[in-house]
Amino acid sequence: MAHSIAKATLGLTRPNKIEHPKISFVAKEIDLLEWKGDILAVGTTETDVVKDENSKFKNLILQKLDSQLGGLLSEASSEEDFTGKAGQSTVLRLPNLGLKRVCLIGLGSAASATAAYRSLGEAVAAAAKSARASNVAIILASSAELTTESKQSLASAIVTGSVLGTYEDNRFKSESKKGTLKAVEILGLGTGPEMVKKLKNAEYVCSGIIYGKELVNAPANVLTPGVLAEEAKRIASEHSDVLSATILDVEQCEELKKGSYLGVAAASANPPHFIHLCYRPPGGEVKTKLALVGKGLTFDSGGYNIKTGPGCLIEHMKFDMAGSAAVLGAAKALGQIKPAGVEVHFIVAACENMISGTGMRPGDIVTASNGKTIEVNNTDAEGRLTLADALVYACNQGAEKIVDLATLTRACVVALGPSIAGVFTPSDDLANEVLAASEVSGEKLWRMPLEESYWEFMKSGVADIVNTGSHQGGSITAALFLKQFVDEKVQWMHIDMSGPVRNDKKKTATGFGISTLVAWILKNSS
C-alpha cells in the first residue's frame, strides 16, 4: 500500500513515498513434503509436540516431516527445549533439499483464539525478514478436526498477522530496507471460493489497519485537521462507487450550532474540519444504518489546562486522533469489501486543542448543537466536547446504532492497562455484538459499568453540565457526559481506547479498533 498523506506544514518534513511489498496469499491442499521454497512454518500447540517413549513425535504431521528429515526435527526440538508454548520457535536450516528452512512456531496449550494465529503469522513474517525469504508456506500440526468455517477464520488470522508483521512505517526515516517476502501459501486449511474471499477480505482489513497506523504515526506538523480531511476525501474518491465525502468548514459548523466543537478549535491557527463519509451498499437496499464516530484531535496541548509535569505525555498527543484513524481505516477497508444491506456513516470532528488569545478558557460556557450548555472546568477534557457535537450529528443521519472511539481518559488506562479498551453502553444487545466482533478480530475489549449515580459529579451551578467530574471514576463520568448527546432511541457504545492505541515497546501506533469495527459491520450486513 502506498502512503498517501497529503503534505507537511512545518519544519520542511515530507513523508517518503514508500511502496509496501505486495504479498500474494494462496490456500492450497498439497502434501507438505512436496512443497519447495524458503521456509516451511508449522504452527504447533503444546500437545502437538508430545513425544513417545522413543522420543518421536506422536503428531502425524510432525512425525511425517521428521521422518523425511531423518529425525533432525525431533532432535532439534529436544535440544532447544521447544515445547510449543506461545512465543517459542525453533528453526532448522536444510541445504540441498529444495526446502531451505523448517520452522516450528509455538501456539500455546490449546490455541483457539484469533490472537494466537495472528501471532503465528507475525512470527512467520519475522522469520522471513531475518532469512530474507521471498516465499513461505504455513501449516498447522493439528487441523483435521476443525470445521470449514474455523479453518477459514484461522487462515484469515494468519494472513492478517503475516501482513502486519511484514509492515514497517519507514516514511519518516532517511533510509529503509525493502521487504523481500512475496508469497505466502497456507496449506491444509481448505480451498475454494469462500476461502479466497476470506483471505482477500483479510488483506482489505490489513490495508485499513496499515492506513490507520500511518495516520496516527504521522506527526502533528504533517497531519493537520485540513490534511485529515483531505485524506478522508481521498478515500471517498478511491471508492466513489460506495463512498461519498462531506467536509464542513467553520461557517457551516456555526450554522449547525456546533459550539462545543468550535470552542475546542478556536485557539488553533489550523482551522477545524468536520468530516462525514457515507458508505452506501452497491446493491442499493439498506436494512441497517450504522455510524462510527472517532475523536479527531490531531494535537492536544491541553489548552489553558496545559499538560505539564512527568507523565503528562504531551509528546504523544499526535495519538489523540487515533479514534478518527480507526474510523477512516474501517472506511477504507469497507470501500474494498463492499458489504450489502448496510449504510455506514463515518464521522470525525477534526481539530487541534491549542493555546492563544482566541482560545477557550477554564470557566467558559459553550453550547452544543442539541442546545445543552457546558461549563468548561478543564480545557484538557476537550475530546468529549468535540464528540458531543459529532454524536448529535450522527443521530441526525438516522443511525440506529452508533459506536464512538476515543483516546479519552488516562483513568481507563489505570483501570485496564495498556492492551485493553474499555467499553461503555446501556445496550446489552450492542455490547454483545461488538464484543463478539472483538473475538473475531482478536482485539481486547472489556465492558465497564455506566453508573448513573455518578452523574451527580457532572452537574453545574451555572450551566446544564460541566465537562469533568470527580477524579474517581473518570472514564465512567466521561462516558456519562457523551450519553447526554445521543438520542434515547439509538443504541450507542463508547470505546475508550487510550491504552491499546500505542505499542510502547515498538514506539508506534497499533491500528487498534479497525478490525473489530469491520467485523461488527460485516455481522450487521449479514
Side-chain angles (χ1 to χ4, degrees), residues 294-308:
K295 179 181 173 184
L297 269 292
T298 58
F299 189 77
D300 175 23
S301 70
Y304 277 104
N305 290 105
I306 191 169
K307 297 176 185 290
T308 58

Side-chain angles (χ1 to χ4, degrees), residues 463-482:
D464 293 332
I465 51 181
V466 292
N467 71 324
T468 62
S470 166
H471 287 296
Q472 298 173 326
S475 57
I476 298 174
T477 53
L480 288 171
F481 177 93
L482 296 179

